[in-house]
Amino acid sequence: MGELVLGVAALWLLAALPYPLSLTLAQTLGATLLYAILAGWLLHHWRQGALGWANRITLLRGILILLLTAALFTPDSFEARRFTWLGMATLALLLDGLDGWAARRQNCQSELGARFDMELDAFFILMLCLGLMIADIISAWVLLIGIMRYIFVLSGHVWPWLKAPLPENVRRKVICVWQIVALLLALLPFIPSGIALGLVSSALVALTVSFALDVRWLYRHAPSSLAGT
């Protein structure tokens, strides 16, 4: 898929720029490894030729997120450039809305495109949680926010009824956006520690309630042969 090759070129071009992140070679290689995993996932699942503009925007967002993740590998550099780091993270959040708009505009929504977007959201949230921990703003418990979805997915291998599709729900989308916004705000250097703690705690509570509601719905609608497993 030629678009994935162009994605590698875009990643290296952005990483080579002296501003805003100024990544080292080791960080760039780390981002490239993460991109290879992302590209492998897409190649394994995508069966429809060209990605389309919506998924190209999502891929660009993914490249930004991977570069931001690589910047965390050197905590001192991350601290020195935290404002520019947050600016790029905010751009990644804005692109999250743009790819959905493009999909609706061109009437090219797909199940895989939605999953691609969701997987990037999950990784973005985990990356922001790591940033909060590395900056020593919130202790390791913040990772509960980032790993909760992965625990849910792994639990589906133990209780198969958790793998059933969920109906569309605005609540789920709003809470996802709030998690990202709350984590970004908590990362701002001028935010008092008490407010940062409140923001992150609200994100964790909202996410926990959302997952609890989804698990209850899945259990109630699961076939009796599966619900007991």
Side-chain angles (χ1 to χ4, degrees):
M1 193 180 292
E3 290 145 315
L4 296 180
V5 176
L6 289 175
V8 175
L11 185 148
W12 275 79
L13 176 62
L14 291 172
L17 294 175
Y19 186 85
L21 292 179
S22 187
L23 298 183
T24 65
L25 177 59
Q27 289 172 317
T28 303
L29 291 174
T32 304
L33 176 60
L34 292 173
Y35 182 84
I37 296 172
L38 172 63
W41 182 88
L42 275 173
L43 286 171
H44 178 72
H45 290 91
W46 198 260
R47 297 290 185 272
Q48 302 178 23
L51 285 175
W53 280 108
N55 288 307
R56 288 171 189 146
I57 295 171
T58 306
L59 182 62
L60 175 59
R61 182 163 65 94
I63 290 170
L64 289 178
I65 292 170
L66 297 183
L67 290 172
L68 291 167
T69 304
L72 295 177
F73 298 165
T74 308
D76 290 341
S77 176
F78 164 63
E79 282 294 332
R81 296 177 177 270
R82 202 196 301 181
F83 273 115
T84 55
W85 190 93
L86 286 168
M88 288 186 66
T90 302
L91 176 59
L93 175 59
L94 295 175
L95 287 174
D96 192 13
L98 182 60
D99 59 9
W101 175 84
R104 292 187 298 271
R105 176 88 173 178
Q106 297 186 336
N107 194 27
C108 59
Q109 300 99 321
S110 68
E111 182 179 343
L112 184 57
R115 186 179 173 191
F116 182 25
D117 187 67
M118 181 177 64
E119 295 295 345
L120 271 183
D121 284 341
F123 186 79
F124 190 22
I125 290 168
L126 176 59
M127 183 268 295
L128 292 173
C129 292
L130 286 170
L132 283 164
M133 191 175 70
I134 290 170
D136 201 24
I137 297 172
I138 305 291
S139 58
W141 66 263
V142 71
L143 294 179
L144 288 172
I145 297 174
I147 66 174
M148 197 175 298
R149 180 180 177 276
Y150 297 104
I151 293 173
F152 176 79
V153 171
L154 290 174
S155 298
H157 296 286
V158 180
W159 298 287
W161 50 270
L162 287 172
K163 294 182 179 180
L166 286 160
E168 287 288 327
N169 192 296
V170 175
R171 176 254 305 165
R172 205 175 298 120
K173 295 177 181 179
V174 169
I175 289 177
C176 178
V177 173
W178 172 242
Q179 286 176 82
I180 297 173
V181 171
L183 296 171
L184 283 172
L185 289 174
L187 274 162
L188 287 169
F190 54 79
I191 293 292
S193 58
I195 294 178
L197 177 61
L199 288 166
V200 176
S201 298
S202 71
L204 178 59
V205 170
L207 183 62
T208 302
V209 170
S210 182
F211 269 112
L213 291 173
D214 286 343
V215 169
R216 184 180 68 173
W217 188 94
L218 288 168
Y219 183 79
R220 287 182 172 180
H221 291 81
S224 55
S225 59
L226 290 178
T229 60

